[in-house]
Amino acid sequence: GAVVSQHPSWVICKSGTSVKIECRSLDFQATTMFWYRQFPKQSLMLMATSNEGSKATYEQGVEKDKFLINHASLTLSTLTVTSAHPEDSSFYICSARRGGAGETQYFGPGTRLLVL
Amino acid sequence: GIQVEQSPPDLILQEGANSTLRCNFSDSVNNLQWFHQNPWGQLINLFYIPSGTKQNGRLSATTVATERYSLLYISSSQTTDSGVYFCAVDEKLTFGTGTRLTIIP
């Protein structure tokens, strides 16, 4: 149980294009989903937290207009990187939590984005 | 915000060896988790351990919340244990700096 999937697993795009990444909780309903970014050989940094049906809460320094997050249902959240640039190239990881703050987060396999 | 430091940053061991990884955090927490990130990037939950001690097979973890640290023990290391180990604290999961473990056959 507690499986989280991400799609696509990797994507290469040209500078200026937009890329959408999907995160799904396959066997549970996720009240909250989280999006992280990880640069090579670095730790994970939280970008935003989203609850189903409400606007995402972004961490300081993360541009809301660049990283659009939509949590349309209890099993799906999407991250859209708009007008991607080479510095947006990174490993994007989502996680999902089925309950409140004391519950475990389960992580997706990640999406590698390369912007040329 | 809370600071989370892990040590050592890198660890290379022979297969069969034991290891202890440490996680120090700068403020009191009510959530602490340990993760293993495999070479493909997948994060695997190891322990949810805001306090006390837990064991799961060759792995065990201890958190001393009053002293703001947690330890992850790996016994009889196998090559599949290689990867990066992270601790993360609090509701938003502030991640530590990580320990890169390499197990040599």
Side-chain angles (χ1 to χ4, degrees):
Chain A
V3 178
V4 177
S5 71
Q6 276 185 245
H7 179 80
S9 54
W10 59 270
V11 58
I12 302 173
C13 69
K14 291 184 179 179
S15 187
T17 60
S18 293
V19 175
K20 181 186 280 190
I21 303 169
E22 290 187 350
C23 176
R24 294 182 185 272
S25 55
L26 298 184
D27 51 2
F28 67 99
Q29 293 188 324
T31 54
T32 308
M33 287 185 166
F34 304 83
W35 287 95
Y36 296 82
R37 182 166 53 181
Q38 184 180 30
F39 292 108
K41 298 196 184 296
Q42 292 188 24
S43 189
L44 281 75
M45 298 296 294
L46 179 65
M47 299 174 67
T49 303
S50 73
N51 293 292
E52 183 261 340
S54 59
K55 286 187 179 179
T57 302
Y58 291 81
E59 294 301 300
Q60 195 169 11
V62 177
E63 300 173 59
K64 335 180 152 180
D65 295 332
K66 182 163 190 64
F67 298 101
L68 301 179
I69 291 172
N70 182 22
H71 194 154
S73 74
L74 284 171
T75 59
L76 173 64
S77 176
T78 60
L79 167 67
T80 301
V81 184
T82 62
S83 186
H85 288 98
E87 57 266 28
D88 299 322
S89 299
S90 189
F91 189 46
Y92 292 88
I93 308 172
C94 74
S95 70
R97 188 179 70 198
R98 64 180 117 203
E103 296 282 328
T104 303
Q105 286 187 31
Y106 296 95
F107 284 77
T111 297
R112 296 192 187 278
L113 171 64
L114 177 61
V115 185
L116 301 176
Chain B
I2 193 167
Q3 305 296 314
V4 186
E5 297 286 331
Q6 290 183 242
S7 60
D10 293 279
L11 189 57
I12 301 173
L13 296 172
Q14 205 79 36
E15 198 168 23
N18 302 328
S19 58
T20 301
L21 283 57
R22 187 177 180 103
C23 170
N24 291 330
F25 40 96
S26 61
D27 204 347
S28 56
V29 299
N30 51 23
N31 176 22
L32 188 145
Q33 293 182 235
W34 280 97
F35 297 91
H36 173 213
Q37 187 171 38
N38 67 22
W40 296 271
Q42 174 74 63
L43 277 159
I44 300 159
N45 297 69
L46 297 178
F47 294 103
Y48 169 75
I49 186 165
S51 64
T53 298
K54 288 187 178 178
Q55 178 153 9
N56 184 4
R58 296 182 296 104
L59 274 60
S60 63
T62 295
T63 297
V64 183
T66 53
E67 297 188 22
R68 300 180 187 168
Y69 74 89
S70 183
L71 301 174
L72 177 69
Y73 305 96
I74 305 174
S75 64
S76 304
S77 299
Q78 301 174 0
T79 54
T80 50
D81 295 331
S82 295
V84 184
Y85 289 81
F86 289 105
C87 64
V89 302
D90 266 352
E91 178 189 353
K92 287 188 177 181
L93 283 190
T94 300
F95 276 76
T97 49
T99 292
R100 184 173 299 275
L101 177 64
T102 303
I103 304 299
I104 301 170

